Amino acid sequence: ESFHYLCFPISGISANEFSVLRSPESVVFREGSWPIPGERIPDVAALSMGFSIEDDLSWPGLAVGDLFRRPRATVLVTVTGLDKLTLPKSGISYPVENAVPFSLDSVANAIHTLFSEETPVVVQLAPSEERVYMVGKANSVFEDLSVTLRQLRNRLFQENSILASLPLNSLSRNSEVDLLFLSELQVLHDITSLLSRHKHLAKDHSPDLYSLELSGLEEIGKRYGEDSQQFKDASQILADSLQKFADEMYSLYGGNAVVEVVTVKTFDTPFVRKSRSILQSTSQTKSENPYNLGYSYNFNYAVVFNIVFWIMIGLAIAVIVISYNLWNMDPGYDSIIYRMTNQKIRMD
């Protein structure tokens, strides 16, 4: 099921950047150095998936693209605590100004509201904080994901974990900080592994959303220092793992997925967010409106307006064309009007 990125030049992603690793042809990101406000990143994700947003986004980095072929998945990975991340493949990057904490809750709620009867994948994870948000009928597939620190640690020491194949270099299996960083990479691996075993999730028509926040590298920098060999090795491992994760997700969705990475050295404001329970109930509670006021603008207003407007124009043109042709019709021998009129004349 499915609003669930030879040799290329080495590209660097400096701190506070929004980078597009992979994207389909239907989603067009323009080359340029246009800064994007940190709080508008969720709006970019919503627009790329074909959803409406409350406030217009005057950012030239995202073009209109194909309106009739939207991506089946959006994957956004946020990495904190580094100045530069070197990825094996080139991509499009934009500077992020006003790097404030953000979430894709609005996109997740839109998917849940519009596709509640289907089985979209909505997974939002922050492994180091044990913050998890999953919603929708596809939850049962991702119930096996390790989400608590204890589960993450135990997962690393299983036979099929990434420790068996990942070159640790200066990182240690005995360090809690190193294990926290590696457990986040394990989550990336487990997501693609679960999705590859349930490929039907990536083939339906409902959009999927994956939002991951990785702070393990930041903890390694605090523990060993950013000039340490551990930090350098961890940065390289993270870059390789992210590129592999992007390529696998892009492939699983048949090339119809957007994979993005946001790198932030430090957020300008603390991250304060309401916690969510794992496998949250599908019912969404809404804040009460004591004055019973209507919304000044509905997200679907533009869509409904265009549908009604163009249908009315089409019907009006159809009536005019039909009326004109009837008025100027030549009543020939094959015309029912001629036959009935001629019969009436003969009877008279």
Side-chain angles (χ1 to χ4, degrees):
E1 266 200 32
S2 122
F3 112 123
H4 299 317
Y5 272 58
L6 53 153
C7 270
F8 286 84
I10 299 297
S11 65
I13 297 180
S14 58
N16 297 2
E17 276 198 336
F18 173 80
S19 301
V20 182
L21 275 59
R22 304 297 296 266
S23 64
E25 294 181 356
S26 60
V27 181
V28 180
F29 286 94
R30 296 193 180 102
E31 293 276 2
S33 57
W34 302 290
I36 176 173
E39 68 274 10
R40 301 309 301 271
I41 291 177
D43 291 337
V44 173
L47 289 174
S48 66
M49 299 183 75
F51 297 137
S52 301
I53 59 175
E54 186 172 1
D55 299 323
D56 291 337
L57 178 64
S58 58
W59 182 63
L62 180 63
V64 175
D66 188 350
L67 298 177
F68 300 99
R69 188 172 181 266
R70 294 288 85 189
R72 290 204 300 262
T74 290
V75 184
L76 179 62
V77 182
T78 303
V79 180
T80 60
L82 76 165
D83 291 323
K84 184 177 181 180
L85 182 64
T86 302
L87 293 172
K89 294 183 180 180
S90 60
I92 303 176
S93 299
Y94 308 95
V96 175
E97 61 181 9
N98 188 26
V100 296
F102 63 88
S103 73
L104 299 187
D105 287 351
S106 59
V107 183
N109 291 335
I111 293 175
H112 173 68
T113 302
L114 298 175
F115 300 91
S116 59
E117 299 302 322
E118 302 182 40
T119 50
V121 177
V122 178
V123 177
Q124 294 179 263
L125 298 174
S128 62
E129 300 180 15
E130 297 189 5
R131 184 154 41 82
V132 184
Y133 173 33
M134 300 185 196
V135 68
K137 297 179 181 179
N139 283 349
S140 58
V141 173
F142 293 90
E143 284 179 345
D144 295 333
L145 268 182
S146 300
V147 291
T148 67
L149 294 178
R150 180 184 295 274
Q151 290 174 339
L152 291 170
R153 181 184 175 89
N154 294 337
R155 176 70 183 91
L156 278 175
F157 290 97
Q158 295 177 2
E159 293 182 0
N160 59 346
S161 75
I162 60 174
L163 292 182
S165 58
L166 198 66
L168 301 182
N169 298 329
S170 61
L171 301 181
S172 172
R173 296 168 177 253
N174 300 320
S175 171
E176 292 295 332
V177 176
D178 296 3
L179 291 177
L180 174 62
F181 167 76
L182 295 172
S183 66
E184 293 182 339
L185 305 185
Q186 183 66 55
V187 171
L188 298 180
H189 175 270
D190 289 345
I191 289 177
T192 56
S193 178
L194 285 171
L195 198 57
S196 63
R197 295 200 302 268
H198 301 83
K199 293 183 179 180
H200 63 281
L201 294 175
K203 295 181 179 180
D204 66 355
H205 298 289
S206 58
D208 296 345
L209 178 67
Y210 303 84
S211 177
L212 310 171
E213 301 169 21
L214 310 182
S215 58
L217 185 62
E218 181 180 9
E219 296 302 322
I220 287 184
K222 293 178 180 178
R223 173 67 175 81
Y224 301 106
E226 296 185 5
D227 295 328
S228 64
Q229 188 61 41
Q230 288 89 342
F231 186 82
K232 295 177 182 178
D233 290 342
S235 299
Q236 186 60 50
I237 293 173
L238 177 61
D240 295 339
S241 299
L242 282 177
Q243 189 65 65
K244 180 182 178 183
F245 176 70
D247 293 340
E248 289 180 349
M249 293 295 286
Y250 187 77
S251 176
L252 286 169
Y253 280 93
N256 196 13
V258 180
V259 185
E260 303 156 335
V261 172
V262 176
T263 57
V264 178
K265 176 63 177 177
T266 55
F267 284 112
D268 295 341
T269 58
F271 201 167
V272 178
R273 180 182 179 187
K274 183 177 68 173
S275 61
R276 305 209 181 229
S277 61
I278 299 174
L279 303 179
Q280 175 177 324
S281 172
T282 57
S283 61
Q284 302 288 327
T285 58
K286 298 182 179 179
S287 57
E288 295 183 359
N289 187 352
Y291 301 105
N292 195 28
L293 298 177
Y295 292 105
S296 58
Y297 183 83
N298 187 278
F299 289 166
N300 295 321
Y301 174 83
V303 178
V304 175
F305 175 82
N306 275 277
I307 292 174
V308 174
F309 176 77
W310 290 110
I311 288 178
M312 292 176 61
I313 294 295
L315 290 175
I317 293 175
V319 170
I320 293 173
V321 171
I322 294 172
S323 301
Y324 176 83
N325 283 278
L326 287 175
W327 185 263
N328 295 278
M329 184 175 61
D330 182 16
Y333 290 102
D334 294 332
S335 170
I336 188 173
I337 297 178
Y338 177 83
R339 291 198 301 269
M340 292 185 65
T341 306
N342 192 30
Q343 182 182 12
K344 184 178 182 183
I345 294 174
R346 289 199 306 268
M347 290 178 62
D348 292 343

